[in-house]
């Protein structure tokens, strides 16, 4: 509530108006008395005790708020049947005084409720007294979670629990990406109570949240020397984010000393709880100047007209009751004073709801064992109104000065917290946190989703950018980086035996490159760790014990190590497996010629061979004598023609362009298929294939073979869990030892398998690629990472640096420098890896299938169109002569007509026109004659003879043969019906050679 001093001066003009308001209130009381009537019963008194610290000027202002709360309630409810009577007591500022005041109120004043005391330490004991006597204790200022309504049911917190602000503090730290913070808290029940809630809130924030790296208690009565020593300790920490939870008096002294120590400068971050933000108006200007740049919290209170009116009346009332106070700046009502006002209103409303109690206020004294002496605690009675009054208080709801008054689990619920930045002489609100949304926003209603969570903040030292929140080289410290001293695989880390400063390797180059590209400078030096060969866990423990600031090397990320330290993201391949001896495969397979093609491809090829031959036969059957003959000859021709294309030995002349196009496409497919088959089979027969000497872990266990591992590795316990005997495991250090041990084998003092991580196995195989191979499953790990202390803020920066390095060429150049060209030695492909599948030729089969189908359909369309008249005539003859199903008869007629030669085709037309008797070109060919030499050349008679033997003909009756024969020509003998076309050609040729001339027509 900045600017209260100006508001106070302005309020003096409203002084006459306030007097009128007071007079109106008094008149309202008189009117209420008149309304009740002269004979009406007087309101039943409800005694309420108030414990304050008279030595503190704050208590005087809170007393005024409590009195005004009671008076305003009865002014608004003049007909109330009860009347709260306030009984004030002094706590003297300590726990004993507060307990004594509470006992006096209970035993002597017999109060039915208690308001106060001021601090959490005082309220803790008074709450137990109220619980014992069933007297509700309402506290508007004891905010520590150490005082819990769960443990003391008669304690009611009419203020915000300190644990409520743990979530907004964690949200502030997460907003700026700070992952580590130090908590500076007052060493009191008030200061300690927030720690569990704060730790839980930070952990619940997620990956982007912070963690508490240290907590520093500050005694309430610490002098300047103690504070300076504490701040010097904080200055030596790497973290620069400090969360302060202390009362305003101790916090003011702490920040003054921090300013003197230079810790309120650029790079430092101070986040204070509401112990600072709520009471900032009550601090002197010198204390506010020492807090410049501090971010704090305070419960949000809307400055409504009702609050403004109360503020004006409060100043008038306080000056009237305390004429010695002349500083209006301290007379502004704070959130705590508004809570005090609402608490008084709540107890008055609860007393009215509970109703008047007849009889004594306390029941009989509790019976105690007779010891001859009694104390004030032994004389405590039990309140007769406690249960009802407590229930009424918990159920009370109204719109108070500080917002909606509503209790849940005996505690006031806060609608929102303000995040304020201390600037100049006051504060500036930079954001809000609401329990419903659980997040920060610039405006109370949530604001724009695209806007940052908070408004710009002026940090200590007024930097232009948000502080990093930590420093690794505080006070010029050079960080100690531990590296493993290895005996083998020095491509990863190599420590020179003559100089401990000459450290090289792949891991070192990656780390140096990442640190060079950070946005800030980090000073460090490498320190070799010679005992790393025994166990890398000891190397990791150096960081845990504080002997090293980080570890750089081939350290694998494991779950057990993550419990101790933090790792960056991995910068190498992950997983571990085994390498075994490889031997040539000498087994012969008599069916190896089938292996180049998969079963699916073999079957698909067979189908397309038959389909292509069938399509060609259908197109050529009516126009080409080469595709006619007996059924067995034509079936054989279909298969022979298609399969002869494998070696391009087909000799049949094609007459149709449609069939030629089908064959052209099919020959191209066959060419690709046979070439691929030949290449694959040649590779299988000529390339030497390697087979692992050991195929799996089960074989090693079953045969009791020896196995090897690298010294210092984490893999050994996992091998023991697999069932390997410790006596069967041998450790090695170098790649040369791996090769020698594998070459010897278990029988000769070596091993049959070496288990190691992928980077080591790849290094080994790059050097010994002939005769060794990786085998078995890949066991998952997270690869190599750099080791940092738990909560180190450098981890995300270094991880981002590794990712950026991996996306650029620098990482590839580093790998090439130490590991050579990738893929220079690869394991021979396993058997079956070169098998050709149907998917490899799916496109070719699709093309030939589509073309063949289209040509077949096109031919059938042309045939149907050209022969439409003959087909109708054949259908008519079949319908007239036959019986049975019409569809079957017509189908037979179509097939019989299709089986006839197409005499209009160029082939048969040329045959008729150039017959031997005309001296044409065909006279030089061997003509096709009937069996009788006196007959004319075979014409339509042969056609009908062929009709009876075609595979498409169902039957041909003798009547159909006689009807289809030309007049004057002899019938083809029945004995020649089953003769092939070629056989008749041979017979006709023999007749010509014997000098027999054909008869004239």
């Amino acid at each position: 509530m900045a600017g209260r001093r100006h508001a106070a001066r302005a309020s003096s003009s409203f002084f006459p108006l306030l007097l009128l308001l007071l007079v109106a209130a008094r008149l309202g009381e008189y009117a209420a008395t008149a309304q009740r009537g002269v004979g009406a019963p007087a309101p039943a008194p409800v005694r309420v005790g108030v414990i304050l610290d008279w030595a503190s000027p704050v208590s005087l202002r809170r007393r005024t708020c409590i009195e005004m709360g009671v008076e305003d309630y009865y002014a608004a409810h003049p007909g109330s049947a009860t009347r709260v009577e306030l009984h004030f007591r002094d706590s003297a500022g300590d726990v004993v005084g507060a307990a004594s005041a509470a006992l006096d109120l209970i035993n002597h004043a017999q109060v039915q409720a208690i308001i106060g005391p001021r601090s959490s330490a005082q309220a803790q004991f008074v709450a137990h007294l109220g619980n014992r006597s069933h007297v509700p204790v309402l506290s508007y200022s004891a905010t520590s979670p150490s005082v819990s309504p769960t443990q003391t049911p008669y304690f009611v917190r009419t203020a915000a629990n300190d644990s409520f602000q743990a979530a907004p503090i964690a949200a502030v730290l997460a907003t700026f990406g700070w992952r580590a913070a130090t908590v500076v808290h007052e060493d009191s029940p008030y200061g300690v109570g927030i720690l569990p809630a704060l730790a839980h809130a930070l952990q619940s924030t997620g990956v982007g949240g912070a963690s508490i790296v240290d907590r520093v208690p500050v005694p309430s009565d610490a002098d300047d020397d103690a504070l300076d020593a504490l701040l010097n300790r904080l200055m030596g920490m790497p973290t620069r984010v400090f969360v302060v939870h202390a009362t305003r008096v101790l916090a003011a002294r702490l920040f003054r000393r921090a300013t003197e120590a230079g810790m309120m400068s650029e790079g430092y971050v101070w986040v204070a709880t509401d112990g600072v933000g709520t009471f900032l108006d009550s601090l002197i200007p010198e204390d506010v100047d020492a807090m410049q740049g501090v971010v704090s919290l305070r419960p949000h209170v809307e400055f409504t007209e009702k609050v403004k009116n109360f503020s004006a009346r409060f100043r008038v009332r306080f000056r009237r009751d305390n004429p010695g106070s002349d500083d209006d700046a301290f007379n502004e009502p704070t959130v705590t004073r508004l809570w005090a006002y609402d608490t008084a209103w709540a107890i008055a409303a609860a007393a009215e709801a509970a109703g008047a109690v007849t009889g004594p206020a306390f029941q009989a004294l509790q019976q105690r064992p007779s010891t001859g002496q009694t104390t004030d605690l032994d004389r405590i009675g039990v309140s007769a109104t406690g249960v009802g009054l407590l229930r009424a208080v918990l159920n009370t709801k109204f719109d108070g000065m500080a917002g909606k008054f509503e209790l849940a689990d005996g505690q006031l619920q806060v609608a929102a917290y303000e995040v304020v930045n201390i600037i100049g002489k006051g504060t500036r609100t930079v954001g809000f946190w609401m329990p419903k949304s659980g997040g920060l926003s610039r405006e109370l209603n949530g604001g724009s989703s695209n806007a940052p969570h908070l408004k710009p903040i002026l940090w200590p030292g007024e930097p232009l950018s948000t502080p990093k929140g930590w420093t690794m080289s505080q006070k010029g410290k050079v960080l100690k980086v531990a590296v493993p001293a290895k005996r083998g695989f020095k491509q990863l880390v190599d420590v020179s035996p003559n100089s401990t400063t000459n450290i090289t390797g792949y891991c070192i180059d990656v780390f140096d490159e990442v640190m060079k590209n950070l946005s800030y400078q980090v000073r460090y030096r490498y320190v070799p760790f010679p005992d790393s060969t025994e166990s890398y866990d000891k190397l990791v423990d150096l960081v845990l014990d504080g002997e090293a600031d980080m570890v750089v090397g081939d350290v694998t990320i494991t779950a057990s190590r993550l419990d101790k330290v933090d790792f960056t993201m991995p910068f190498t391949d992950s997983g571990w497996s085994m390498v075994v001896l490889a031997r040539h495969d000498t087994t012969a397979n008599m069916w190896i010629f089938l292996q180049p093609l998969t079963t699916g491809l073999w079957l698909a090829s067979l189908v397309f061979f038959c389909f292509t031959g069938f399509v060609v036969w259908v197109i050529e059957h009516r126009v080409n004598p080469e595709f006619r003959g007996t059924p067995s000859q034509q079936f054989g021709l279909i298969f022979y023609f298609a399969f002869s294309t494998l070696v391009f030995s087909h000799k049949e002349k094609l007459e149709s362009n449609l069939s030629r196009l089908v064959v052209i496409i099919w020959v191209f497919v066959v060419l690709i298929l046979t070439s691929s088959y030949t290449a694959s089979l040649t590779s299988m027969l000529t390339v030497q294939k390697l087979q692992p000497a050991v195929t799996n872990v089960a074989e090693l266990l079953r045969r009791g073979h020896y196995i090897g591992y690298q010294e210092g590795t984490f893999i050994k316990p996992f091998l023991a869990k697999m069932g390997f005997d410790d006596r069967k495991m041998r450790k090695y250090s170098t790649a040369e030892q791996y090769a020698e041990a594998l070459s010897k084998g278990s029988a000769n003092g070596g091993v049959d398998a070496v288990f190691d991580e992928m980077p080591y196995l790849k290094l080994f195989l790059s050097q010994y690629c002939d005769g060794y191979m990786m085998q078995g499953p890949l066991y998952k790990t997270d690869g190599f990472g750099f080791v940092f202390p738990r909560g180190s803020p450098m981890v995300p920066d270094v991880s981002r640096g590794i990712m950026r390095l991996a996306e650029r060429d620098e990482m590839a150049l580093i790998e090439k420098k130490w590991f050579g060209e990738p893929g220079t030695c690869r394991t021979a492909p396993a058997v079956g890896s070169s098998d050709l599948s149907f998917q490899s030729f799916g496109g070719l089969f699709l093309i030939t299938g589509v073309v063949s189908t289209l040509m077949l359909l096109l031919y059938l369309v042309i045939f149907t169109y050209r022969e439409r008249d003959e087909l109708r005539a054949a259908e008519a003859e079949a319908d007239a002569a036959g019986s049975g199903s019409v569809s079957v008869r017509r189908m037979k007629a179509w097939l019989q007509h299709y089986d006839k030669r197409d005499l209009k085709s160029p082939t048969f037309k040329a045959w008729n026109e150039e017959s031997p008797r005309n001296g044409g070109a065909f006279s030089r060919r061997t003509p096709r004659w009937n069996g009788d030499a006196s007959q004319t050349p075979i014409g339509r008679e042969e056609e009908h003879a062929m009709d009876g033997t075609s595979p498409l003909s169902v039957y041909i009756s003798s009547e159909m043969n006689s009807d289809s024969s030309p007049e004057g020509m002899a019938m083809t003998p029945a004995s020649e019906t089953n003769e092939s076309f070629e056989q008749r050609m041979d017979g006709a040729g023999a007749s010509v050679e014997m000098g027999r001339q054909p008869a004239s027509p």
Side-chain angles (χ1 to χ4, degrees), residues 126-148:
V126 174
H128 286 285
L129 293 177
N131 198 56
R132 183 170 180 177
S133 60
H134 291 187
V135 174
V137 177
L138 286 71
S139 178
Y140 54 85
S141 58
T143 58
S144 174
S146 60
V147 188
S148 172

Side-chain angles (χ1 to χ4, degrees), residues 2 349 509 550 559 563 747:
D509 284 359
M550 64 188 76
D563 293 336

Side-chain angles (χ1 to χ4, degrees), residues 795-981:
V795 172
D797 291 339
V798 176
S799 295
R800 283 189 290 268
I802 293 173
M803 183 171 295
R804 285 192 292 265
L805 188 65
E807 295 175 351
R808 301 198 301 264
D809 296 335
E810 286 85 347
M811 182 67 83
L813 294 176
I814 295 174
E815 292 179 353
K816 181 178 179 181
K817 173 184 175 182
W818 294 103
F819 306 142
E821 289 289 347
T824 54
C825 179
R826 299 178 180 176
T827 304
V831 175
S833 62
S834 60
D835 291 353
L836 301 176
S837 64
F838 176 77
Q839 295 180 349
S840 304
F841 302 91
L844 292 174
F845 284 123
L846 178 63
I847 293 174
T848 185
V850 170
V851 171
S852 299
T853 304
L854 290 177
M855 296 302 101
L856 177 61
L857 295 176
L858 181 59
Y859 170 77
L860 293 177
V861 170
I862 295 174
F863 167 75
T864 305
Y865 177 76
R866 292 179 58 184
E867 303 293 328
R868 59 186 182 277
D869 296 334
E870 289 79 355
L871 291 175
R872 293 193 190 102
E875 290 178 358
E877 292 178 3
D879 292 339
S883 61
S885 174
V886 176
S887 300
V888 174
R889 292 199 307 270
R890 292 183 177 182
M891 178 60 67
K892 290 180 180 179
W894 277 56
L895 294 176
Q896 290 167 2
H897 182 74
Y898 165 78
D899 196 37
K900 298 175 182 179
R901 293 184 300 172
D902 186 4
L903 299 179
K904 294 180 286 186
S905 66
T907 303
F908 295 110
K909 186 176 181 181
W911 177 277
N912 292 331
E913 292 177 353
E914 300 182 9
S915 61
R917 61 188 173 89
N918 295 329
F922 279 93
S923 62
R924 293 185 295 271
R925 294 187 183 179
T926 303
R928 301 170 183 259
W929 303 100
N930 281 329
D932 189 355
S934 63
Q935 299 297 323
T936 58
I938 298 175
R940 298 185 64 184
E941 294 84 350
E942 179 193 352
E943 173 185 324
H944 293 297
M946 297 292 289
D947 290 343
T949 58
S950 171
L952 294 178
S953 299
V954 179
Y955 69 91
I956 300 179
S957 64
S958 60
E959 290 82 4
M960 292 183 68
N961 288 331
S962 62
D963 293 338
S964 60
S965 301
E967 186 178 352
M969 301 185 79
M971 282 293 300
T972 303
S975 60
E976 294 181 7
T977 303
N978 294 327
E979 292 181 354
S980 67
F981 186 77

Side-chain angles (χ1 to χ4, degrees), residues 55-83:
S56 172
V58 176
S59 295
L60 298 177
R61 296 173 176 82
R62 294 177 179 176
R63 174 174 180 167
T64 301
C65 292
I66 293 173
E67 291 174 342
M68 292 179 66
V70 174
E71 294 170 3
D72 290 351
Y73 175 81
Y74 291 115
H77 304 82
S80 299
T82 59
R83 180 73 61 173

